[in-house]
Amino acid sequence: MFIYVVHLTVMHRPDLQGIVMPAIYEIYPYYFYNTDVIRSITYKKLYDPKFGFYSNGKYNVVYANYTQSYPVDYYNSFYSEEIISYFTEDIGLNSFYYYFMMDYPFILGGDKFGLTKDRRGELYWYMHQTLLARYNLEPAGVALPAQDWLLSLLSYWNGVPFKSRDYNYMTSDESYIKVDWINSWETKIRQIIEAGYYIMEDGSRINLRLPESVEFFGNLLNSNIDAVDANYAGYIEVFSRLLLSGNDFNAYKVWPSALMQFETSLRDPRVLPAVRAFSWTCTTTSSASCRATTYDGLNFNGVIIKDVAFEKLVTYFDLFDADVSNVLPMQTTDKYFDSAVLARQQRLNHKPFSYTMNVMSEYTGKAIVRMLLGPKFDRFLDLQFYKKYFVEIDQYLVDITAGKNSIVRNSRDFYRSAKDRTTYTELYKKTMLGFNGQEKFVLDMSEAHCGFPDRLILPKGWTNGMPMQFYFIITPYTAKPTYEQNVEYYDKSFSCGVGSGMRYYDTLPMGYPFDRVINFSYFYTKNMYFKDVLIYHSDEMKMNQTF
């Protein structure tokens, strides 16, 4: 609770902006590393009092595996979540989810903290849909059956293991009334979707057939303070997490599972379909009342994407060291920065890549480029189904001139991604050196807490190349509404801009243009481009370590 409150305070008080806290996996390693890692550290400390000091060099390292064994046990791991544990248990991915929930906590009012300016409801829905799509892009992810069990190998700081969900898990007889509650809330949401409007207490109606109405639904599903009537739809996410964990809503003492901690939720992919089940239905063909995006809303007169050329796309596993010194009790803090214990783990990564986009234009001015990655499919009409698997991995502002334009973009510049965090001990040393004038300290947001892990932009490839495709669309850059123009700009060198209203280039819906039903009679305009690619995987192990 203390860690939770401190994060909220530092992230949302204006006078604390710029303070950099240790990564959450350094503060609380128990939520990110399996029990065998924690025990290995404590045992080594017991038998070797010098364990953990810098003077020991590589001896300070403890190797950390995922739930999956190496090599994969065919009988125990085939077609189970363990095959992609390198993704679901990635400390960077789970940290990203935790920080998102801290940036937009359901307990804080959007008006007071500026969260409504960031379209918090729409962002909540879109972030979960994006995570589910990215999960399904993994080679085995989309083929895995929906698992109803979760074997967690995590333990809390006091040694109590996380609660696991049993195989063929069934809710207890006492919990069926809670299942009825959730079903009734879902029914209510579906009913107002079908009706196309929501009646407010004063008798006014909210038109749910407008693209911007997704903000209303996102707040409703999140049950945050900005929701119009949280009691109407209940607290679906919170209660679903409890129910899938096998816990009672009204219990005074609860044995928490991975689903009940934001830091560990993504280890159980059930959290994603559970949220997506209530997603905005305009993204499906079943909702006839939702209009497709018009031709004028898609086309950009005078702008034509001629072709896009990519460098070779290669994924690999590297070894990464994270500081887990907090596992060991410190007798004194005087020598804290003279010691460190590192957990070394295999992690998915990719080689940096660039692409060149050639554009012919009759237009001169600013424009927005959106870049999405999705699976390769055979028929263009199949896009209606596969669009839910496309993930937006970049969006940026460009200056276009009349004539031929050559746009070059490197993967390290993608605006949604961030590099690995520097360990806090190293960051502290750099800060003190800068403070004493011995070294220049540069403010750098390339390791921002709000960024998606750069390493996970590409799904794990195949040795002979996994077929995928990128989708590009260029749209006009339009000035934002007056109420957003008056918002104070934030300093991108040290702030993520949460609550500033300036995190987006335009007001187009998130997931555009795949946020609506596709009308194939005019969908494929000249300012769009599909690029087939192959993603290769190399078995060569890379080293990315501290010592």
Side-chain angles (χ1 to χ4, degrees), residues 399-459:
D399 290 308
I400 296 179
T401 59
K404 184 177 180 179
N405 296 262
S406 183
I407 301 172
V408 180
R409 185 78 167 172
N410 187 274
S411 59
R412 296 306 189 206
D413 298 325
F414 290 177
Y415 92 114
R416 291 186 180 274
S417 62
K419 296 190 299 186
D420 290 321
R421 295 279 294 272
T422 301
T423 62
Y424 193 71
T425 50
E426 292 297 319
L427 181 63
Y428 179 81
K429 288 183 177 180
K430 290 182 179 180
T431 304
M432 296 309 298
L433 288 173
F435 181 76
N436 295 326
Q438 298 172 267
E439 182 179 297
K440 185 177 181 180
F441 187 84
V442 180
L443 292 174
D444 183 8
M445 278 295 286
S446 64
E447 300 179 11
H449 75 269
C450 56
F452 187 82
D454 171 80
R455 301 172 298 98
L456 301 179
I457 288 175
L458 299 180

Side-chain angles (χ1 to χ4, degrees), residues 494-510:
F494 68 88
S495 173
C496 287
V498 174
S500 69
M502 303 301 296
R503 299 190 70 185
Y504 314 113
Y505 288 110
D506 55 32
T507 57
L508 287 175
M510 298 178 193

Side-chain angles (χ1 to χ4, degrees), residues 373-390:
L373 175 64
K376 180 72 177 83
F377 49 87
D378 297 326
R379 299 185 314 130
F380 184 58
L381 294 178
D382 292 339
L383 180 61
Q384 196 75 268
F385 170 79
Y386 283 103
K387 62 185 173 66
K388 64 176 176 286
Y389 295 122
F390 275 76

Side-chain angles (χ1 to χ4, degrees), residues 342-380:
L342 304 176
R344 180 167 296 171
Q345 193 172 57
Q346 284 192 57
R347 304 206 300 175
L348 182 65
N349 207 334
H350 67 85
K351 293 182 179 180
F353 63 90
S354 297
Y355 68 85
T356 302
M357 180 191 301
N358 293 317
V359 178
M360 291 297 297
S361 176
E362 299 174 1
Y363 164 85
T364 298
K366 296 184 180 297
I368 305 294
V369 179
R370 283 173 167 82
M371 176 185 184
L372 292 83
L373 175 64
K376 180 72 177 83
F377 49 87
D378 297 326
R379 299 185 314 130
F380 184 58

Side-chain angles (χ1 to χ4, degrees), residues 182 235-245 259 274 278:
I182 295 176
Y235 298 89
I236 295 179
E237 181 191 349
V238 175
F239 283 8
S240 295
R241 288 174 182 267
L242 280 165
L243 192 64
L244 290 171
S245 299
L259 275 175
F278 309 104

